[in-house]
């Protein structure tokens, strides 16, 4: 399997407190990794470091062997993030928000045109449908959507980005079990939907370990340190009890 | 399916397009000989005159301007607060069970508010002559009614649950009002009063440009004699003081001093303000300016009905109104659109700092002086007047936008940047978008202010009601003055009402409305 992302000796320190300490992690193409840990264990920080939005105090992040910091913006598109707070832009409608996923490939004029109305609507509708929303929702305002619908719009934006690796920060924490199952099935089991290709490599942080059977590998964080890295098949339930103790 | 959805983000930048017809006209009107003089003005910035007499004149001018502004500010706050309470609905509902008197006072106060302080200054100059109090009164009249409006709105928007609770304890109406509704006004004072002090300083400088003394007069005289090095001495001195004042006021705004204001704090503030007033009076006296000189009223020959009718028929009112509106729209366009456009094009930390510095100077130079500077190399025109007015308002709008952006977290910006978007796009989507509605609400308020300010540059552009007012004033044609003032009041009141509606529209659903915006409306 090709190595996509590599985190080497990552350290994030705030005052005397380590938010991440000596993290070594490789993510290979096709892996579906569950990132586990209690609140405050460093899951969100790790995801921010992995997508380049947070600079580590020490260590290096590499994308396909090249330093993430010096990566061209065209390459950065390959890493997609589903943020815990979704980060949808309330002032834009659903379609315009979905298009925001492709801003890395666009110039300023395209970005300005998107602020006048939804462009490339056919592609947006495909992403919307793939995320399980009706096409009529394309022009809806973000403020009119329910929590679950917002989550799906954020996924549609991610699908529009056509990333190779998806980093998701507790995407299922505020969803009911049925919706969680639907999103897991869309992200982890589908290859294409409505002619949209679904990425095949994931690092998804989960607050509770109920859904880990859907993943191929489990990584556990405790107090900012990686304390567990095992394939799901070899996982011992006691490890999880210790992780959450 | 309606795919068109023009976002507030786009609307915030789009008005910058007004710069295109302005530049086209200015290029047509450009005379090359003047460009050299203009360059001389810019190069004098790094070589201001250090002559002792020049510096001492500039400092004395600044002292007069500060004293005028501070006294005007103090009286405006005092009178404005009383008028604000008297014009609030809730005050009259408590004491008389109906709010009609409050509404009537509010309507009445819209008239002094509709006229710019410079226009008041020019009118008062005819009535009171060149008395030192003219500048102060000229500021106090519109400012008290503006403050009254803000206070009345704030009082009427307060939750009156505590008032009901205090009433039920059997307290009389006056103590119930004072206990429940006055303390929530303190935070308003901490932020809004500071902003008003800055406005008063700019107002006092402007009045100086129109001959009422202080640093404004120094600036005007240096510019008229093309003594740019002397002009820059005054500008640097005024700029340093403005920067210092802005920093102090910004600190007070962000420190939330007012939340737990104790009795001894109020006493302390009272002592400081009394001391500052005493220092002002002593400094003015030392500069041979006696505010207590007897006022001699000049008799004005009031116009007859026939004279008014003739003035109404003879004045090209439609054309004057049209040019005034055009001037407002063009200047508002650049004032609203240029700051976000500039920050979008050059969004980094250095870009932001450089632009902030330029905006400080834009705010500093009064619009009539900017117009005179532009006149060095261009013919007078509506575009020139609009650019002069727009430039100083770019300074105001830019600072507000940057201040609000600095209080916003970077999460959305980082999210857009993480998909590989360039800095300009990340700024547009991640920074401006969340601010766009509150920025547009403030823009609506600023457009309303700009309509009043057209009176300042009309004279240099030879257009609009402002120009006609100054013409009629200098020929003592009181009938024309009355007709133009009435037209101006009507126009600004319509503008104010439209601005209120626009603000309401943008404020609705705003997720992070800045305090500045809500208070300054």
């Amino acid at each position: 399997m090709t190595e996509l992302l590599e985190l080497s000796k990552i350290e994030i320190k705030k005052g005397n407190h380590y938010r991440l300490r000596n993290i070594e992690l490789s993510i290979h193409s096709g892996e579906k990794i569950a990132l586990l840990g209690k609140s405050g264990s460093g899951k969100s920080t790790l995801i921010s470091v992995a997508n380049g939005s947070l600079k580590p105090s020490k260590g290096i992040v590499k994308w396909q062997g090249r330093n993430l910091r010096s990566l061209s913006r065209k390459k950065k598109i390959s890493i997609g993030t589903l943020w815990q707070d979704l980060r949808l832009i309330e002032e834009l409608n659903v379609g315009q928000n979905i298009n925001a996923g492709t801003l890395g490939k666009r110039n300023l004029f395209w970005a300005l045109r998107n602020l006048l109305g939804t462009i490339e609507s056919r592609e947006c509708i495909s992403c919307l449908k793939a995320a399980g929303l009706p096409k009529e929702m394309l022009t809806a305002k973000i403020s009119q959507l329910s929590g679950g619908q917002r989550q799906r719009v954020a996924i549609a934006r991610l699908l529009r980005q056509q990333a190779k690796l998806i980093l998701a920060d507790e995407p299922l924490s505020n969803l009911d079990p049925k919706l969680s199952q639907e999103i897991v099935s869309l992200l982890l089991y589908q290859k294409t939907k409505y002619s949209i290709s679904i990425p095949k490599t994931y690092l998804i942080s989960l607050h509770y370990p109920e859904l880990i059977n859907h993943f191929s590998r489990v990584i556990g964080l405790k107090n900012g340190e990686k304390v567990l890295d095992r394939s799901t098949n070899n996982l011992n339930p006691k490890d999880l009890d210790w992780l959450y103790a | 399916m309606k795919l068109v959805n023009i976002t507030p983000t786009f609307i915030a930048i789009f008005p910058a397009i007004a710069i295109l017809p302005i530049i086209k006209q200015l290029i047509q009107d450009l005379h090359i000989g003047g460009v050299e003089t203009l360059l001389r003005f810019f190069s004098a910035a790094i070589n201001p005159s250090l002559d002792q007499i020049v510096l001492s004149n500039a400092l004395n001018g600044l002292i007069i301007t500060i004293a005028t502004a501070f006294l005007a500010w103090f009286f405006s706050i005092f009178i404005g607060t009383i008028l604000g309470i008297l014009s609030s609905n809730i005050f009259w509902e408590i004491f008389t069970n109906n709010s009609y008197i409050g509404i009537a006072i509010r309507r009445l106060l819209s008239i002094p508010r509709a006229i710019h302080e410079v226009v008041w200054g020019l009118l008062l100059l005819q009535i009171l002559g060149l008395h030192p109090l003219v500048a102060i009164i000229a500021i106090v009249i519109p400012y008290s009614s503006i403050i009254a409006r803000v206070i009345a709105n704030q009082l009427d928007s307060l939750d009156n649950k505590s008032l009901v609770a205090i009433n039920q304890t059997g307290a009389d109406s006056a103590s119930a009002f004072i206990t429940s509704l006055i303390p929530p006004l303190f935070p308003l004072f901490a932020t809004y009063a500071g902003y008003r002090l800055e406005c008063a300083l700019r107002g006092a400088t402007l009045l100086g440009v129109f001959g009422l003394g202080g640093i404004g007069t120094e600036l005007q005289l240096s510019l008229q004699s093309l003594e740019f090095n002397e002009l820059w001495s005054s500008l640097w001195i005024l700029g340093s003081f403005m920067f210092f004042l802005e920093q102090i006021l910004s600190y007070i705004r962000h420190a939330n001093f007012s939340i737990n204001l104790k009795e001894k704090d109020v006493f302390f503030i009272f002592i400081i303000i009394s001391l500052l007033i005493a220092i002002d009076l002593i400094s003015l006296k030392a500069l041979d300016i006696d505010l207590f000189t007897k006022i001699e009223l000049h008799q004005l020959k009031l116009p007859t009905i026939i004279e008014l009718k003739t003035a109404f028929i003879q004045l090209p009112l439609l054309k004057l109104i049209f040019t005034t509106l055009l001037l407002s729209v063009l200047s508002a366009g650049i004032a609203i659109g240029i700051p976000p456009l500039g920050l979008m094009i050059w969004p980094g930390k250095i870009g932001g700092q450089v632009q902030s510095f330029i905006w400080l100077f834009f705010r500093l130079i009064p619009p009539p002086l900017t117009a005179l500077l532009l006149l060095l190399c261009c013919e007078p025109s509506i575009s020139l007047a609009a650019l002069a007015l727009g430039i100083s308002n770019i300074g105001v709008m830019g600072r507000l936008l940057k201040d609000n952006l600095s209080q916003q977290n970077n999460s959305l910006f980082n999210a857009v940047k993480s998909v590989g978007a360039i800095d300009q796009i990340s700024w547009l989507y991640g920074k401006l978008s969340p601010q766009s509605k509150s920025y547009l609400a403030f823009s609506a308020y600023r457009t309303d202010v700009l309509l009043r300010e057209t009176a300042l540059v009309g004279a240099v552009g030879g257009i609009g009601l402002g120009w006609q007012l100054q013409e009629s004033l200098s020929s003592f044609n009181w009938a024309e003055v009355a007709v133009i003032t009435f037209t101006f009041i009507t126009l600004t009141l319509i503008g104010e009402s439209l601005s209120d509606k626009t603000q309401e529209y943008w404020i609705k659903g705003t997720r992070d409305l800045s305090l500045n915006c809500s208070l300054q409306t």
Side-chain angles (χ1 to χ4, degrees), chain B residues 225-428:
Chain B
S225 49
L226 301 181
E227 293 291 349
F228 295 137
N229 306 75
E230 291 181 11
L231 180 69
W232 275 103
S233 309
S234 300
L235 277 177
W236 281 117
I237 287 174
L238 178 63
S240 314
F241 181 75
M242 285 288 265
F243 180 75
F244 172 68
L245 182 70
E246 282 181 10
Q247 297 306 307
I248 291 181
L249 294 176
S250 162
Y251 175 71
I252 294 174
R253 252 198 312 273
H254 295 137
N256 285 335
F257 282 134
S258 50
I259 289 175
N260 293 314
L261 213 60
K262 294 185 182 76
E263 221 168 271
K264 67 169 188 194
D265 300 328
V266 178
F267 181 70
F268 182 65
I269 293 169
F270 176 77
I271 294 287
I272 288 190
I273 291 180
S274 310
L275 265 174
L276 287 172
I277 290 174
I279 293 170
D280 281 345
L281 293 174
I282 294 165
S283 330
L284 286 176
K285 189 84 184 160
L287 292 167
D288 274 340
I289 297 172
D290 189 1
L291 290 177
F292 304 105
T293 317
K294 199 179 162 219
I295 297 175
E296 282 177 28
L297 281 176
H298 295 241
Q299 281 288 321
L300 284 187
K301 192 179 157 283
L302 289 175
T304 62
I305 302 283
I306 297 165
E307 282 173 328
L308 285 172
K309 206 175 150 190
T310 316
F312 186 76
I313 295 164
Q314 282 181 349
L315 282 167
L317 276 180
L318 274 180
K319 190 184 163 201
L320 290 172
I321 291 171
F322 174 75
T323 46
T324 304
L325 291 178
L326 188 60
L327 179 56
S328 312
V329 169
L330 286 174
S331 50
I334 53 175
I336 296 165
I338 297 285
L341 184 71
L343 286 174
M344 180 188 78
I345 293 170
W346 196 8
K349 203 174 173 186
I350 297 171
Q353 279 168 349
V354 169
Q355 289 177 74
S356 288
F357 187 71
I358 296 172
W359 294 334
L360 176 71
F361 271 92
F362 280 7
R363 285 195 298 279
L364 196 64
I365 307 177
L369 291 190
T370 314
L372 285 175
L373 278 169
L374 291 169
L375 276 175
L376 293 173
C377 60
C378 286
E379 301 291 321
S381 67
I382 194 162
S383 294
L384 185 138
L387 186 62
L389 194 54
I391 279 178
S392 70
N393 282 282
I394 285 175
V396 177
M397 295 300 292
R399 187 185 62 163
L400 176 105
L401 180 61
K402 196 135 182 279
D403 208 18
N404 290 350
L405 286 173
S406 67
Q407 290 170 38
Q408 181 182 309
N409 71 40
N410 278 338
S411 60
L412 209 52
F413 176 78
N414 288 338
V416 185
K417 206 155 167 47
S418 76
V419 302
I422 55 170
D423 285 350
Q424 284 76 9
I425 296 179
S426 306
W427 187 87
L428 189 65

Side-chain angles (χ1 to χ4, degrees), chain B residues 26-27 29-36 374-379:
Chain B
L26 292 183
I27 290 173
D29 295 345
L30 187 76
H31 50 87
I32 303 295
V35 176
E36 196 193 326
L374 291 169
L375 276 175
L376 293 173
C377 60
C378 286
E379 301 291 321

